[in-house]
Amino acid sequence: MRTWVISGAIALVLSATSPAWGWGEKGHRMVNRLAARSLPRDVPLFFRRAVWELEYLGYDPDRWRSPTEPALSAANAPEHFMNLEHVEGRTLPPDRLQFLQGLVTREIVRGDVTPARLGFLPYRIVELTELLRGQFRLWRHAPRRTARQRAERHQIEQNILFIAGVLGHFVADGAQPQHTTVHYDGWNTAVAPNPHGYTTERGIHLRFENDFVNEAVTESDVRPLLRRPRRLGPLFEETMRYLRESHALVERLYELDREGGFVPSSTHAEARRFVAERLAAAAHMLASLWYTAWVESRGEPSPP
Ligand SMILES: [Zn+2]
């Protein structure tokens, strides 16, 4: 009975909080744009030229969050984050179905958490990257002798841009530390003590990723921090490493906020640098995922 009461209380606290949204439109557009401009020349020209299209798509998954599409909204919301505290010390399986199975058996989660409150972000990133790799492979082998073949090849290019652009959204969300934590909008004292007096009030999420980015960060702050894309290793491991790096910055974010760093008129140099570094990390990871998908798409398409 006692266990039920405690876990019920935690569930209540968790469900009282609304799902996280991600960088505002400016941050998402910037990440996709910078990634698109940082690609090496061996990536196909149609892709490198599509900077505006890829930029537009960076914000697209947040356009799918409308109460007029309730089923889509419900399924889409947990794709944008993963609260890593709930899986701390656990080895996650590399695909979503095994992960869901582990949730059912409670083997891979700590505490009483529903799928909607845990989030699926790494799975979304890996699934989209694999989808992109497969489409690049089809494109490499698509003939273009007849008008029909050229139309189909063009459609593959459209598919590639859509998948790559949408992937950028989720990669950028992963660089926002609050998309990896139960403290996604105010320190969650129901889950962790608060000895350093971080804000517990709602509003820090939007203040950091939207209001502050809109007013205090420009592309010229981010561009110098951007590294060249690299060929990644195993996808799931690389994705989890990227999310854990972001997660390790959760406390730093709350410290900077406590110092008033993220009020829009702030002149706090470290706060600006912090945001710029996060956006640069996202653009670097995104360009690396695109590049790796392209490089690894060599070889024959396998039969369906
Ligand atoms: Zn998002």
Side-chain angles (χ1 to χ4, degrees):
M1 181 63 189
R2 192 184 158 83
T3 315
W4 185 89
V5 170
I6 292 170
S7 61
I10 291 172
L12 202 68
V13 169
L14 291 173
S15 63
T17 52
S18 70
W21 277 61
W23 299 103
E25 182 157 3
K26 180 180 171 184
H28 277 295
R29 280 180 174 269
M30 199 189 293
V31 167
N32 275 29
R33 184 168 66 240
L34 286 169
R37 289 199 183 131
S38 75
L39 293 171
R41 287 181 158 271
D42 54 323
V43 173
L45 191 59
F46 84 86
F47 192 91
R48 285 186 288 125
R49 272 188 178 159
V51 176
W52 287 354
E53 292 85 342
L54 290 166
E55 177 186 319
Y56 168 79
L57 287 164
Y59 190 58
D60 216 38
D62 280 343
R63 300 183 187 110
W64 310 342
R65 297 170 177 268
S66 164
T68 51
E69 282 84 42
L72 174 65
S73 271
N76 180 34
E79 305 283 70
H80 299 243
F81 66 92
M82 179 177 273
N83 293 336
L84 292 178
E85 289 89 348
H86 291 303
V87 293
E88 221 169 70
R90 309 290 158 93
T91 305
L92 297 186
D95 74 65
R96 186 190 295 246
L97 274 186
Q98 286 185 54
F99 178 67
L100 286 169
Q101 185 60 33
L103 272 181
V104 172
T105 59
R106 317 300 300 169
E107 280 163 42
I108 51 164
V109 283
R110 302 152 68 100
D112 183 19
V113 60
T114 63
R117 294 291 155 197
L118 178 52
F120 299 115
L121 181 57
Y123 296 102
R124 188 67 154 135
I125 291 173
V126 170
E127 289 160 8
L128 285 168
T129 307
E130 290 191 358
L131 185 57
L132 180 64
R133 187 170 64 203
Q135 293 287 311
F136 270 139
R137 192 176 297 122
L138 290 174
W139 184 80
R140 283 178 188 268
H141 294 273
R144 46 183 153 168
R145 284 180 299 277
T146 66
R148 175 186 290 273
Q149 287 172 342
R150 287 192 289 278
E152 291 185 359
R153 191 167 189 269
H154 178 70
Q155 184 56 54
I156 298 172
E157 292 178 358
Q158 300 301 305
N159 295 352
I160 285 171
L161 294 178
F162 181 76
I163 296 158
V166 165
L167 168 63
H169 180 92
F170 295 103
V171 172
D173 276 354
Q176 209 291 39
Q178 289 170 320
H179 280 246
T180 67
T181 178
V182 294
H183 309 294
Y184 77 87
D185 194 16
W187 198 261
N188 188 341
T189 52
V191 180
N194 187 16
H196 305 294
Y198 301 136
T199 184
T200 55
E201 279 172 32
R202 305 283 298 276
I204 179 177
H205 194 100
L206 211 61
R207 182 160 69 241
F208 168 69
E209 70 175 20
N210 192 69
D211 305 352
F212 184 66
V213 171
N214 282 347
E215 198 164 313
V217 184
T218 64
E219 191 178 307
S220 55
D221 297 320
V222 182
R223 210 184 306 114
L225 305 173
L226 195 56
R227 289 170 294 145
R228 288 172 58 80
R230 69 180 176 92
R231 170 89 186 265
L232 298 172
L235 261 183
F236 190 77
E237 284 78 1
E238 292 273 13
T239 302
M240 288 308 298
R241 176 198 50 76
Y242 169 72
L243 295 180
R244 288 191 202 286
E245 268 174 28
S246 187
H247 185 68
L249 295 169
V250 169
E251 283 221 48
R252 184 66 193 132
L253 191 160
Y254 274 85
E255 278 169 15
L256 288 167
D257 182 73
R258 194 182 51 195
E259 295 165 15
F262 300 126
V263 290
S265 56
S266 157
T267 50
H268 198 298
E270 249 188 282
R272 283 181 59 172
R273 169 97 188 174
F274 181 86
V275 177
E277 278 175 354
R278 289 290 77 218
L279 292 168
H284 172 68
M285 180 65 172
L286 176 57
S288 299
L289 285 166
W290 286 344
Y291 178 64
T292 303
W294 165 248
V295 171
E296 291 182 351
S297 66
R298 293 196 189 101
E300 290 298 312
S302 47

